[in-house]
Amino acid sequence: YREGLLRSNIDELDDDENPFFNSLYDYYIHRPSLLSNLCLAEFAAEYDIVYTSKVDKSAEEIFTIPADDESDSCIGNICKLKGNFGKIRKRQKRCILRYHIDKRDETECMRAYLLLFLPFIDENVQIHNH
């Protein structure tokens, strides 16, 4: 169970639409296979989410070519996320991450560190089941 930011137009959404905005975690789990060795902290520090209006025209035209959902599509510093989840752009400079981990609960603390610093594809299988 994950909390998220609720959309303001929830009454206008179709039944199958997600009522929450996508989070960094959502983009991370849809990263291309090329970036499978990146942990969540590295992903957050090194990549920005690219919204359609911010992609330059030449890169946008290339990404409109139908491609296999699982294929790795990167052009320069822009990569297409799996599942038509959007695009990411490699930052010119890494950003500094600030995070808060509650150290009162040892299990929750270890889980948070694993999520941040251990690369994973499926959190439930690779983090929680071990």
Side-chain angles (χ1 to χ4, degrees):
Y1 158 69
R2 236 171 245 301
E3 295 178 8
L5 184 60
L6 199 57
R7 293 177 187 245
S8 61
N9 63 341
I10 194 165
D11 296 332
E12 300 168 12
L13 298 176
D14 293 334
D15 291 338
D16 61 339
E17 286 186 89
N18 187 352
F20 296 101
F21 284 105
N22 294 328
S23 68
L24 181 65
Y25 175 86
D26 296 323
Y27 293 108
Y28 174 74
I29 61 175
H30 288 92
R31 70 194 184 281
S33 301
L34 288 168
L35 305 178
S36 63
N37 289 331
L38 277 184
C39 66
L40 181 58
E42 291 171 314
F43 182 81
E46 294 180 13
Y47 289 89
D48 278 321
I49 308 308
V50 175
Y51 300 97
T52 305
S53 62
K54 294 183 180 177
V55 177
D56 67 40
K57 183 130 177 82
S58 59
E60 185 61 32
E61 288 172 358
I62 294 169
F63 279 123
T64 57
I65 298 170
D68 179 5
D69 211 23
E70 298 299 316
S71 68
D72 289 328
S73 301
C74 288
I75 300 163
N77 62 350
I78 298 176
C79 292
K80 182 177 179 182
L81 298 170
K82 292 180 181 177
N84 282 334
F85 222 75
K87 299 166 192 77
I88 55 174
R89 175 181 290 135
K90 186 157 179 71
R91 299 173 191 256
Q92 291 180 353
K93 292 171 104 175
R94 291 175 60 121
C95 72
I96 296 172
L97 296 182
R98 294 177 69 177
Y99 56 89
H100 171 75
I101 295 179
D102 187 0
K103 295 185 170 113
R104 291 174 287 183
D105 181 351
E106 186 178 345
T107 303
E108 220 19 63
C109 180
M110 291 299 118
R111 179 188 151 288
Y113 281 126
L114 288 172
L115 285 175
L116 274 173
F117 301 111
L118 182 72
F120 64 89
I121 302 292
D122 185 338
E123 174 186 348
N124 290 324
V125 173
Q126 294 172 296
I127 306 269
H128 296 289
N129 290 343
H130 291 290

